[in-house]
C-alpha cells in the first residue's frame, strides 16, 4: 500500500526565519544543514561527539554556536539528529528532552550493517530503522534528508516552482510535520509527505527513492514501488 498522503499535494506554510535549531552531528549532512539553516537566518546550535572547540572552523564559517551534544536541543524549535546509526544508543538519555514542547525531531540516519554499523538485531528482526532511532532517544522522529547526496543538499536547492526541483520524502507523525515540510521547502526542495514513520522503510537504503534526485512525482512513484524486503547489501 502506498504511503498515506504520497499522492497528495503538500500544503505549503511559511517557516519562521528565526527558529532555534539544534543539530546533533556535524558530518556531511549535519554540517551541510548547519550551513544552509544558518544561511536562512536560523539560530543554529551544533554538536558532535567531541568538545565544542573541535567545531570552531564550522562555527566561524557559519555563525552557528558549537555546544556539547547534551545541550544542542535546549529550547530548540527543531532538533536534527545526524549521526551514524551505531552511535545512536550512545547518546545521553533524554538528549532531545530539553527542546520546546512540540518541537519536531528530525533524524537523517541510515543503517549500513555491512559497511559501517554492524548488525542491529532489532532492525534485522523487523523494526523500521527510524522507529528504532525514536525508541533509542525516547522521542518520535521525522525521517528526511537521509537519501540525498550531501553536495546536492548543499548546492541544488532552488525556489519553489522551478522545473525539475528535487523532492525529498518526509515520513513521520504528529503536528510538527508541517514545520518539517516547510523547512524542506525553505531549503530549496519540494517536500513530499511520505506517510507515517512506520512507512519510512520506503526511503531506506536500497529502495527506489534512495539516492535519487527525483522531482515530486518521481518521489511519489518510487515510494509506491518500494518493497519491505531488505536488500542483501543492506542486511546484517
Amino acid at each position: 500500500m502506498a504511503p498515506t498522503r504520497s499522492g497528495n499535494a503538500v500544503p505549503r506554510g511559511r517557516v519562521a526565519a528565526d527558529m532555534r535549531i539544534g543539530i546533533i552531528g556535524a558530518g556531511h549532512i549535519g554540517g551541510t544543514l548547519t550551513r544552509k539553516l544558518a544561511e536562512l537566518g536560523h539560530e543554529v546550535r551544533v554538536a558532535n561527539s567531541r568538545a565544542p572547540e573541535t567545531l570552531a572552523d564550522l562555527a566561524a564559517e557559519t555563525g552557528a554556536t558549537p555546544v556539547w551534544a547534551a545541550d544542542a536541543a535546549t529550547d530548540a524549535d527543531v532538533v536534527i539528529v545526524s549521526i551514524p546509526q551505531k552511535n545512536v544508543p550512545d547518546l545521553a538519555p533524554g538528549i532531545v528532552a530539553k527542546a520546546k514542547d512540540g518541537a519536531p525531531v528530525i533524524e537523517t540516519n541510515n543503517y549500513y550493517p555491512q559497511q559501517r554499523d554492524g548488525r542491529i538485531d532489532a532492525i534485522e528482526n523487523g523494526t523500521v530503522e527510524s522507529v528504532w532511532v525514536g525508541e533509542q532517544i525516547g522521542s518520535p522522529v521525522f525521517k528526511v534528508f537521509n537519501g540525498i547526496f550531501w553536495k546536492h543538499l548543499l548546492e541544488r536547492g532552488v525556489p519553489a516552482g522551478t522545473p525539475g526541483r528535487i523532492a525529498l520524502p518526509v515520513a513521520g507523525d504528529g503536528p510538527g510535520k508541517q514545520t518539517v515540510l516547510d523547512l524542506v521547502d525553505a531549503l530549496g526542495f519540494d517536500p513530499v509527505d511520505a506517510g507515517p514513520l512506520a512507512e519510512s522503510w520506503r526511503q531506506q537504503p536500497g529502495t527506489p527513492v534512495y539516492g535519487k534526485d527525483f522531482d515530486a512525482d518521481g518521489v511519489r512513484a518510487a515510494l509506491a514501488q518500494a518493497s519491505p524486503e531488505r536488500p542483501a547489501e543492506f542486511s546484517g
Side-chain angles (χ1 to χ4, degrees), residues 111-119 124 231-236:
Y111 173 49
Y112 300 124
Q114 299 177 34
Q115 301 86 348
R116 181 191 63 195
D117 297 316
R119 179 183 173 91
E124 294 293 341
E233 64 267 34
F234 296 111
S235 297

Side-chain angles (χ1 to χ4, degrees), residues 111 119-132 135 197-201 204 228-230 235:
Y111 173 49
R119 179 183 173 91
I120 297 175
D121 286 340
I123 295 177
E124 294 293 341
N125 291 334
T127 301
V128 177
E129 294 175 17
S130 294
V131 172
W132 181 84
E135 291 173 350
L197 196 65
E199 296 283 325
S200 63
W201 57 264
Q204 291 174 177
E229 183 176 350
R230 185 175 293 280
S235 297

Side-chain angles (χ1 to χ4, degrees), residues 25-98:
H28 285 319
I29 295 295
T32 296
L33 289 171
T34 297
R35 292 175 174 88
K36 299 303 292 184
L37 292 168
E39 188 179 285
L40 288 174
H42 299 293
E43 178 189 341
V44 178
R45 296 183 177 187
V46 61
N48 59 15
S49 59
R50 297 172 291 162
E53 297 79 46
T54 62
L55 293 171
D57 289 347
L58 181 62
E61 175 191 344
T62 63
T65 301
V67 296
W68 291 100
D71 299 322
T74 301
D75 294 326
D77 298 289
V78 176
V79 181
I80 299 171
V81 178
S82 186
I83 64 175
Q85 197 85 339
K86 65 179 180 179
N87 295 343
V88 172
D90 298 332
L91 294 173
I95 194 158
V96 301
K98 296 179 184 178

Side-chain angles (χ1 to χ4, degrees), residues 154-175:
L154 180 67
E155 299 170 354
R156 297 194 181 183
V158 295
T162 301
R165 193 187 199 208
I166 295 171
L168 301 179
V170 179
D173 315 89

